[in-house]
Amino acid sequence: MAVVMALAFTMGIFAQRSITYIPDANIEKRVEQTLSRMTLEEKVGQMTELEIGVLGHWEGDRFVLDKDKLEKVFLQYKVGSILNTPGPVAQTPEWWQQTIRTINEYSLRACGIPTVYGLDQNHGTTYTLGGTLFPQNTNLGASFDAELAKQAATITAYETRAANCPWTYSPTVDLSRDARWPRVWENFGEDCLVNAVMGRAMVEGFQGPDPNHIDKYHIGTSIKHYMAYGTPRTGKDRTPAYVPEWELREKHFAPFKACVEAGATSVMVNSASINGMPMHVSAKYLTQWLKEETGWDGMIVTDWADIENLWQREKVAANKKEAICMAINAGIDMAMEPYNVDFCDLLIESVKEGRVPISRIDDAVRRILRMKYRMGLFDMPNTDRKDYPKYGSAEHFKAAQDAAVQTMVLLKNNGILPLSQGKKILVTGPNANSMRCLNGGWSYTWQGKDADKYASQHNTILEAMQQRFGAANIIYEPGVTYNNDGLYWEENEPQIDRAVRAAAGADVILACVGENSYAETPGNLDDLALSANQRDLVKALAATGKPIVLILSEGRPRLVSDIEPLANAVVDILLPGNEGGNALARLLAGDDNFSGRMPFTYPRHSASLTTYDYRVSEETGTMEGVYDYNAQVDVQWPFGYGLSYTTFEYSNMRVDKTDFTTGDVLTVSVDVKNTGRMAGKESVLLFSRDMVASLVPESRRLRAFTKVDLKPGEQRTVTFTLPADDLAFVGNDGKRHLEPGEFLLQIANKSLRINCR
């Protein structure tokens, strides 16, 4: 009987200083030497980030750099950072090599400091053509496998550096606490532990083993969006959140703290406000929490034009100059302008007027220079394309496909899956023949609209099914299609009757429904239900009596409670990337086993949105008397839910200490056996519940997780180490409390009780 040691992730959220790396003394010396010879103008230039569009112009379908614009930006204003892709449309690695090389030539000529270029490589090399696109982060969260996230980041870093780009705005570790939010798919789900573990793994994958010395095969990271971005009251992007400070401390801060402890080079700030305070002007959250309490020496960058938004949208400043002063004094180190150099002029004026102290400027520039030295840009400002032969290789594509296999979630199966060879399969629905739907936003373009053009070498679901099951056995009739020239939710006139007629020749129906691609604010919605056309398609197909396998491809959980009962099987593939079609075909054929689990709570009703860690008082029975209170929590599929083609049996759950106190470390073990006839991977999740507390307890909290691969009949012991202090909660006083009393520990259907003395 093998033993798997699963190290419970200890966030150490409240340690005053817990950075896990030691700053390099030689780098610190070089930073001070460089800073000492810089003028105020050069310092402010380093704090400025512009969008590449200000450096050139279009000649037909080709973007070219402009000498006069380059000289203004670098020789006159000494700008230290450029971002984005022109268009924005992905470019070839060769184009990036030459473009960034030219930018660095001007930057080095201006002040001897290289530019740091940043791209949103959010799920692979999304802005470099021909590279590898991995599943989106929501899928990686569904895998519950941190090594998978690290591998994706490692390959992405390699391919990004092949394009001469040293910096990415990734990973995203916002918590998806509202199903309506259009950026649910960009992070790892609703749980703070999953986001912390996956985020930290990706930092290590992107940056390599030593955050002080990031080599030419790795890139710097910018963790985003600090913090509580995923809980807007309206459910819409960039709108205010109202979150108790104890919840900010305990949940939303945790993933960012984990990432900066691991040496993340930078952090990007939440565009919106929390409890009425825009994050970009909060010295408490930017400087006190993020920098001082953790001891982190990295750099904070704004999001797109957010200093401008402080006075134009948030109305906390009277003009741009005042907004700049507020943001820089609060702790912002670099401003993503992104179009204007007037930031430089206004900040220089503010320093000379005494509104921003030079000490704050020096601190910001130290952090920027430190990041550039850690990336090795002073010694090697450019890379050479020939050093990266694996760019867009079959090896990398296979890694993306294998990752996608682990991230798809089997939600229902009445025995119809795996599909038998030789059966006639109707493939239908708007998501069946679309690379755009497999990838989602941030895929070649911002909204992902051109994925079918740029990813044509990869298979859609339809194409993958034709290859795996034989083209002669596949019937294709979409019934519903998207208007790809319109808004993401717009659909063409449905032709459901054609799909119904096609079903007559099929043994089984594969109904591929969900969402088209979108990103950020354009992805806002007013109705969480799946579109009426798509639901009508499924209902009409169900009336034929043919069995239905419902394939959900979506960036957030669209409501399907009226059509789920009509399906014999349901699979949520989320946004699996370019290799998602092939991965799904492998799973439907039974070549591989399902092992994904829901990274968020899937709602059943539009007016009943919740998360798995709700407070126990949210789930009550009927109150006696005049008032009939009923607050039952009712969901479609819970967080952590997922089925398999095999079965797993849990037994012999035990803990080495049934009585414990603060400072103790608990060892929790359970035996897991594959009792089915197929090999399978099982995510083992350890939850806890405080039975009585001075703050209303949560229903449960995820405390540790791991994944085991078991052959039929194989049994392993999974062991977690759980620091007792992780069971503490943050009270209304902002402090951690580990109170005496009983706790429940749970793994699958096994549980035991322990007592805090």
Side-chain angles (χ1 to χ4, degrees):
M1 182 175 69
V3 177
V4 176
M5 292 298 294
L7 298 180
F9 183 79
T10 308
M11 287 178 283
I13 303 169
F14 303 97
Q16 287 301 306
R17 186 177 180 89
S18 49
I19 294 297
T20 56
Y21 61 93
I22 300 173
D24 183 273
N26 183 55
I27 288 179
E28 296 305 305
K29 180 180 178 181
R30 295 180 72 182
V31 167
E32 292 304 321
Q33 289 173 341
T34 304
L35 182 67
S36 67
R37 63 173 182 262
M38 293 174 69
T39 65
L40 176 60
E41 288 73 18
E42 289 172 338
K43 292 175 181 178
V44 170
Q46 288 299 303
M47 297 171 66
T48 309
E49 184 175 44
L50 299 180
E51 195 264 342
I52 191 173
V54 306
L55 299 181
H57 59 272
W58 289 91
E59 294 181 358
D61 60 355
R62 190 170 69 97
F63 184 84
V64 296
L65 297 176
D66 185 289
K67 178 176 180 294
D68 292 338
K69 293 178 179 179
L70 287 165
E71 288 182 349
K72 178 182 178 181
V73 167
F74 295 109
L75 302 187
Q76 181 179 347
Y77 281 95
K78 325 292 184 184
V79 167
S81 182
I82 306 294
L83 82 153
N84 210 17
T85 188
V89 179
Q91 305 293 320
T92 66
E94 291 73 22
W95 185 92
W96 282 117
Q97 275 280 342
Q98 184 56 50
T99 298
I100 296 177
R101 188 177 299 272
T102 300
I103 288 171
N104 271 326
E105 288 173 2
Y106 277 85
S107 182
L108 289 166
R109 179 150 58 99
C111 57
I113 300 174
T115 298
V116 59
Y117 205 106
L119 287 174
D120 286 288
Q121 306 284 58
N122 286 356
H123 67 115
T125 47
T126 52
Y127 275 162
T128 48
L129 293 175
T132 308
L133 267 63
F134 280 87
Q136 295 278 5
N137 284 352
T138 187
N139 288 69
L140 296 178
S143 77
F144 285 88
D145 187 341
E147 285 303 312
L148 205 64
K150 184 175 181 179
Q151 181 193 40
T154 301
I155 292 174
T156 300
Y158 176 96
E159 294 194 349
T160 300
R161 210 62 188 263
N164 203 15
C165 180
W167 190 31
T168 185
Y169 309 105
S170 184
T172 303
V173 294
D174 307 314
L175 308 185
S176 297
R177 309 286 285 182
D178 192 312
R180 302 169 297 172
W181 190 47
R183 308 190 75 164
V184 163
W185 48 272
E186 290 190 50
N187 56 80
F188 304 98
E190 69 185 41
D191 178 66
C192 64
L193 178 65
V194 175
N195 274 272
V197 172
M198 295 295 183
R200 183 168 188 143
M202 291 199 84
V203 168
E204 294 170 350
F206 279 131
Q207 297 189 172
D210 183 357
N212 283 312
H213 303 95
I214 299 171
D215 65 27
K216 68 178 183 179
Y217 299 112
H218 293 88
I219 56 177
T221 58
S222 188
I223 316 304
K224 61 188 185 186
H225 307 85
Y226 180 73
M227 62 181 165
Y229 190 28
T231 55
R233 177 179 285 179
T234 66
K236 292 182 167 57
D237 186 40
R238 286 176 163 83
T239 56
Y242 300 90
V243 184
E245 189 154 293
W246 53 262
E247 187 172 334
L248 289 177
R249 271 285 191 188
E250 188 167 326
K251 296 182 180 179
H252 297 276
F253 185 54
F256 291 94
K257 187 170 188 296
C259 289
V260 301
E261 285 176 359
T265 56
S266 62
V267 167
M268 183 184 291
V269 183
N270 173 3
S271 295
S273 63
I274 302 176
N275 303 327
M277 173 66 73
M279 278 298 297
H280 283 77
V281 298
S282 174
K284 178 178 184 179
Y285 298 139
L286 298 179
T287 298
Q288 181 185 327
W289 283 28
L290 186 57
K291 293 179 178 178
E292 295 176 351
E293 292 187 11
T294 65
W296 178 61
D297 56 9
M299 183 269 286
I300 297 178
V301 62
T302 77
D303 205 340
W304 192 272
D306 276 338
I307 288 183
E308 195 84 26
N309 288 330
L310 291 175
W311 68 283
Q312 291 193 342
R313 184 185 69 201
E314 305 293 346
K315 306 298 183 184
V316 296
N319 51 54
K320 185 170 183 176
K321 188 173 183 178
E322 184 178 348
I324 290 171
C325 293
M326 294 172 70
I328 300 303
N329 285 331
I332 294 295
D333 301 310
M334 179 182 286
M336 187 186 293
E337 262 298 286
Y339 301 115
N340 301 307
V341 290
D342 63 347
F343 169 84
C344 300
D345 297 325
L346 294 172
L347 182 52
I348 289 169
E349 289 176 12
S350 300
V351 173
K352 292 179 177 178
E353 293 165 0
R355 299 174 66 178
V356 176
I358 191 65
S359 59
R360 174 76 272 273
I361 300 296
D362 286 348
D363 174 61
V365 177
R366 277 191 187 94
R367 293 171 180 273
I368 295 166
L369 293 174
R370 182 181 292 119
M371 181 175 79
K372 291 183 177 184
Y373 274 113
R374 283 175 170 165
M375 291 177 181
L377 299 183
F378 281 86
D379 299 318
M380 189 182 68
N382 301 293
T383 59
D384 192 325
R385 175 68 179 85
K386 67 178 176 58
D387 292 335
Y388 303 87
K390 292 184 179 181
Y391 180 92
S393 64
E395 177 186 335
H396 287 181
F397 289 170
K398 184 181 185 303
Q401 187 178 134
D402 291 344
V405 166
Q406 285 203 57
T407 70
M408 296 180 178
V409 188
L410 180 61
L411 295 169
K412 180 180 181 179
N413 186 18
N414 291 344
I416 192 173
L417 297 179
L419 295 174
S420 301
Q421 288 293 330
K423 289 199 172 187
K424 295 288 186 179
I425 304 170
L426 170 63
V427 178
T428 185
N431 294 42
N433 195 28
S434 169
M435 294 305 302
R436 178 178 175 181
C437 296
L438 290 175
N439 279 296
W442 297 113
S443 303
Y444 304 108
T445 61
W446 178 36
Q447 296 297 309
K449 286 186 175 182
D450 294 330
D452 288 286
K453 172 183 176 181
Y454 294 114
S456 59
Q457 71 183 102
H458 300 277
N459 286 333
T460 64
I461 294 173
L462 171 65
E463 293 164 342
M465 293 295 290
Q466 289 171 333
Q467 284 190 7
R468 181 60 186 81
F469 291 90
N473 293 318
I474 302 298
I475 306 164
Y476 174 58
E477 188 59 61
V480 176
T481 56
Y482 295 116
N483 173 16
N484 282 314
D485 295 324
L487 301 173
Y488 82 93
W489 47 265
E490 292 180 343
E491 297 168 350
N492 298 314
E493 187 69 23
Q495 296 179 314
I496 295 173
D497 57 331
R498 294 180 59 171
V500 170
R501 288 196 298 270
D507 299 311
V508 63
I509 298 168
L510 198 69
C512 305
V513 300
E515 294 187 306
N516 212 353
S517 71
Y518 55 83
E520 299 190 74
T521 302
N524 287 341
L525 50 62
D526 295 314
D527 187 352
L528 195 55
L530 190 67
S531 79
N533 285 338
Q534 296 187 50
R535 290 174 12 247
D536 288 344
L537 172 66
V538 175
K539 291 172 184 176
L541 291 170
T544 68
K546 299 295 178 71
I548 294 175
V549 178
L550 192 63
I551 305 297
L552 303 176
S553 175
E554 53 192 355
R556 60 193 150 196
R558 303 301 292 266
L559 303 183
V560 294
S561 57
D562 58 338
I563 61 173
E564 176 273 326
L566 307 177
N568 298 77
V570 180
V571 178
D572 197 336
I573 68 172
L574 302 167
L575 296 173
N578 275 343
E579 291 295 324
N582 292 330
L584 177 62
R586 285 167 56 180
L587 287 163
L588 294 180
D591 300 334
D592 295 271
N593 204 342
F594 284 95
S595 65
R597 293 189 177 215
M598 289 310 303
F600 47 70
T601 302
Y602 205 117
R604 186 187 299 274
H605 308 291
S606 61
S608 182
L609 305 180
T610 188
T611 54
Y612 86 96
D613 49 357
Y614 60 84
R615 301 285 157 176
V616 294
S617 53
E618 296 176 49
E619 186 171 37
T620 65
T622 301
M623 178 178 283
E624 295 182 2
V626 177
Y627 300 104
D628 183 13
Y629 290 140
N630 192 323
Q632 296 290 339
V633 173
D634 184 18
V635 302
Q636 189 77 51
W637 293 288
F639 168 83
Y641 182 80
L643 303 175
S644 169
Y645 289 147
T646 191
T647 54
F648 296 96
E649 180 180 272
Y650 288 75
S651 63
N652 194 25
M653 183 178 175
R654 62 267 191 198
V655 63
D656 66 334
K657 298 181 182 69
T658 55
D659 293 287
F660 67 94
T661 188
T662 181
D664 284 346
V665 175
L666 308 175
T667 301
V668 185
S669 300
V670 70
D671 297 336
V672 185
K673 184 176 183 179
N674 183 341
T675 54
R677 292 180 291 181
M678 184 175 181
K681 295 179 179 179
E682 172 75 341
S683 294
V684 183
L685 313 182
L686 171 63
F687 294 92
S688 75
R689 175 171 172 176
D690 194 343
M691 302 307 293
V692 178
S694 56
L695 197 67
V696 177
E698 295 163 309
S699 58
R700 59 180 184 161
R701 279 286 295 279
L702 183 66
R703 298 301 183 186
F705 61 89
T706 193
K707 200 165 191 175
V708 293
D709 191 355
L710 299 174
K711 298 181 179 66
E714 184 180 5
Q715 177 174 305
R716 293 189 191 179
T717 297
V718 175
T719 298
F720 296 105
T721 55
L722 177 65
D725 291 344
D726 275 11
L727 299 174
F729 65 88
V730 179
N732 285 321
D733 57 2
K735 299 177 181 179
R736 281 175 66 77
H737 298 267
L738 181 60
E739 298 176 337
E742 193 174 45
F743 288 80
L744 179 74
L745 299 181
Q746 178 187 8
I747 302 176
N749 61 348
K750 301 301 176 184
S751 64
L752 52 82
R753 293 177 184 252
I754 56 177
N755 184 61
C756 177
R757 299 194 303 274

